[in-house]
Amino acid sequence: MMKVKENIIHNPEIECMDREELKKIQLERLKETVKLCYDNVPMYKQRMDENGVKPEDIKELKDIAKLPFTYKTDLRDEFPFGLFAADKKDIVRIQGSSGTTGKPIVSGYTENDVEIWTEIVARSLAAAGCDKEDIVQIAYGYGLFTGGLGAHQGATRRGAMTVPMSSGNTQRQIMMMKELGATMLCCTPSYAIYLGESIKELGYDIKDFKLKSGCFGAEPWTEEMREQLEGLMDINAYNIYGLTEMGGPGVAFECPEKCGMHINEDHFIAEIINPETGEPLPYGEEGELVFTTITKTGMPLLRYRTRDICTLYEDKCKCGRTHARMSRIFGRSDDMMIIRGVNVFPSQIEGVLLNVEGVSPHYMIVIDRVNSTDQMEVQVELTEEFYSDKVSEIEKIRETIKNQIKSDVGISAKIKLVPPKSIPRSEGKAKRIIDNRNIK
């Protein structure tokens, strides 16, 4: 595997700032944001009044716990402009979710917000080695989805040659990647693996490509999947994290140490809470991630519950950055499956599968309720090499997966091995769960 360039820090004055100084900046910006929300967003004024909290009550960072939570349902209830803190004439961009069911989620950006978003994505790409010598191919979708435009803005800020391919049209993606000599790839990890598989199937040798690194996000992925991706594409794979609600990708990012994602704390305050009680938890404990924006002026959010489950770390990273780090996302509290009393995350299943020889990283979890008892079936693709093997060998793979899921996850599952390429592919976020228990 080619090595990424030496540790590049886009904004060392901020990214390596003394933590006490950083906290002073956070407090000052938090006070300003709380006042902005109270004065301009009726929902926040109402909730703060109900809680008996005024902007002047925020005197230190721990006072953030006095503020009300914001939920995804609030963004839908207040659609489209109810949470805007700026006049519509000052909003220069709308981004949002796909809105596949019900009302979509939208976020309004002022010029200030677009500038901040560009800055934080530039930091993220720099950490993955991006500079003016690079050719960055962006295979995230463009449009309301924040991935494409966010990565585009950051790559442009870094001075790289930016190739706005968007998602889809895989053969064309590969052709452009090879002919233009792309050195960095930005897309979802599941689509990156699909690209890698397609490169091999089309008869290309990955060594004929010039890819060195990639920034992959928009869906949770495991360390095992990173190893799979790095081996398939012969690159260094970096995790990038963001939410449309916060401003898109770049909220947090991995550096070459790959020991957690640095949160851009000069723009966001992160908390970990108990997802059941809402109680704040200390650094190092696993819980639900909560973010407060402290520089957004278009649609600032107070204590937004992401539903993402992770851990926060405050110790200084070897790369020199001082901002707190978040672990990989272990799962989502609202995507968590409770099966026969056991909490199960898709990432746990994925971690098992990627350690079993003979199966691909493509899978589907199907949950049913039979005679009032939950049943989980894991559909897993065999690789081309193993698909034609003896029945006894295939049965051995099935038993290995079944036993490992029982050991690692703590639940029995039916394992269905299916032919190569029979599970639908995704050019965006991979769909991993079919829960038939909700069908009445």
Side-chain angles (χ1 to χ4, degrees), residues 397-409:
I397 293 173
R398 189 198 318 274
E399 284 300 309
T400 297
I401 296 171
K402 182 176 181 178
N403 293 337
Q404 204 58 50
I405 289 176
K406 176 67 174 176
S407 173
D408 291 6
V409 184

Side-chain angles (χ1 to χ4, degrees), residues 30-31 44 48 64 93 109 111 125 133 147 159 217 292 346 381:
L30 174 62
K31 290 178 178 179
Y44 281 129
M48 288 177 64
I64 197 171
R93 177 89 64 84
Y109 296 64
E111 286 187 17
L125 298 183
E133 297 176 0
T292 296
E381 281 187 5

Side-chain angles (χ1 to χ4, degrees), residues 286-303:
E286 180 181 317
E288 181 182 338
L289 183 61
V290 173
F291 275 118
T292 296
T293 66
I294 53 174
T295 52
K296 283 194 74 174
T297 54
M299 199 179 93
L301 295 180
L302 303 179
R303 305 193 79 200

